[in-house]
Amino acid sequence: MNTKDKINYISDWIKTYAETNNFKSLVIGISGGIDSAVTSTLSAKTGLKTIVANMPILDHKATNDRGLSHISWLKKNFENVEDLKIDLSVVFENFKNALNSNNSEHGYANSQARIRMTTLYQIAASNNGIVVGTGNKVEDFGIGFYTKYGDGGVDISPIADCLKTEIWDMGKELMINQDIIEAAPTDGLWKDGRSDEDQVGLNYAEIEEAMINENSSNRQKYLEIRKNNIHKMNPIPVCILPK
């Protein structure tokens, strides 16, 4: 399937799911990255009401500006797009103050994603909508690079069968802003602005090659990362009582 066919197939799939289940709107968080840019554009192409939310928490100006620029591009190209800017920085600060000494830096990074997830579901509930996930195949099923019940908490995952390189190809085909295509991927959850590669230790091309090729020089590192995150990808363990 070529890139254009993938775009049409995924957009049709989103529309069919929403209409079959009587949902009237699609809700997507915009991060300033390629995954949310492509997913929101695929959603907008359905013709259904598409609500895109900009939800700044940390002061990452470049990332936030890319997100706002993409929202402007969407609204210029699709009449069915509505946008919301919801500043969650005060909510997050109040959250940290309430937690007092429970101040895990890693926990706070994940909590940002969970606050955003809660926000998206409130928007969806108010608009008879569904939360559209932006996770790709590498993150969701390869190395588990997402927050459980954060950006992993969604109703549908339209690009979760697509590698990151396929997402970039779709972005180019959709003529998404070049600065988003060229930007180093980041989850935006850390004060120091670390990239995905900084956190994982491999870039997406290396991860994809290691996923596919058992003889890859990066295969062992990929498997170690996957092992540490497999709990996110497996079903929740349930204690089954003996009969």
Side-chain angles (χ1 to χ4, degrees):
M1 188 179 288
N2 64 36
T3 301
K4 187 173 182 179
D5 288 341
K6 289 175 189 174
I7 288 169
N8 292 332
Y9 186 90
I10 296 171
S11 186
D12 288 345
W13 180 88
I14 295 170
K15 183 176 183 179
T16 299
Y17 180 88
E19 291 182 340
T20 300
N21 292 280
N22 297 314
F23 291 110
K24 302 300 182 185
S25 66
L26 308 168
V27 180
I28 307 102
I30 301 299
S31 68
I34 188 67
D35 293 332
S36 67
V38 167
T39 303
S40 57
T41 308
L42 295 174
S43 297
K45 281 175 65 65
T46 65
L48 298 173
K49 180 179 178 181
T50 300
I51 304 172
V52 291
N54 169 253
M55 300 174 287
I57 295 180
L58 300 181
D59 185 22
H60 293 313
K61 186 176 187 305
T63 305
N64 193 53
D65 285 351
R66 284 198 304 271
L68 292 174
S69 177
H70 175 68
I71 290 172
S72 295
W73 178 86
L74 276 175
K75 294 184 72 176
K76 180 180 178 181
N77 286 279
F78 299 95
E79 294 181 354
N80 54 310
V81 172
E82 299 180 9
D83 69 301
L84 293 170
K85 181 173 182 180
I86 304 167
D87 189 340
L88 295 174
S89 57
V90 174
V91 175
F92 182 57
E93 285 303 314
N94 288 338
F95 175 81
K96 288 197 296 182
N97 291 335
L99 267 293
N100 198 7
S101 61
N102 293 284
N103 55 359
S104 160
E105 184 181 15
H106 187 262
Y108 281 146
N110 284 324
S111 291
Q112 292 176 62
R114 291 173 181 136
I115 290 169
R116 287 186 173 122
M117 178 274 292
T118 301
T119 304
L120 292 175
Y121 270 98
Q122 181 64 32
I123 296 167
S126 303
N127 290 274
N128 188 19
I130 50 175
V131 175
V132 182
T134 62
N136 59 63
K137 190 171 188 175
V138 178
E139 296 166 347
D140 286 8
F141 300 109
I143 58 172
F145 189 65
Y146 60 89
T147 297
K148 188 186 287 188
Y149 308 120
D151 50 327
V154 300
D155 291 311
I156 60 172
S157 293
I159 62 169
D161 194 37
C162 300
L163 297 172
K164 189 78 169 186
T165 48
E166 293 178 285
I167 306 300
W168 275 310
D169 287 342
M170 284 191 276
K172 294 171 185 175
E173 179 70 25
L174 291 164
M175 295 188 291
I176 282 168
N177 294 340
Q178 191 64 27
D179 59 344
I180 292 178
I181 294 172
E182 294 176 353
T186 176
D187 56 21
L189 302 178
W190 303 87
K191 289 182 179 179
D192 59 13
R194 67 192 71 172
S195 68
D196 292 355
E197 184 175 355
D198 291 333
Q199 295 185 63
V200 175
L202 298 171
N203 62 41
Y204 279 96
E206 291 170 330
I207 299 169
E208 290 179 17
E209 198 267 340
M211 286 173 65
I212 297 166
N213 180 9
E214 293 184 2
N215 297 315
S216 167
S217 60
N218 293 309
R219 179 72 175 182
Q220 190 57 41
K221 183 170 181 59
Y222 159 73
L223 291 174
E224 289 172 2
I225 298 167
R226 178 178 170 81
K227 181 180 179 181
N228 289 334
N229 290 325
I230 197 70
H231 66 95
K232 301 181 189 178
M233 298 176 268
N234 287 337
I236 298 172
V238 176
C239 177
I240 305 298
L241 298 176
K243 303 299 181 186

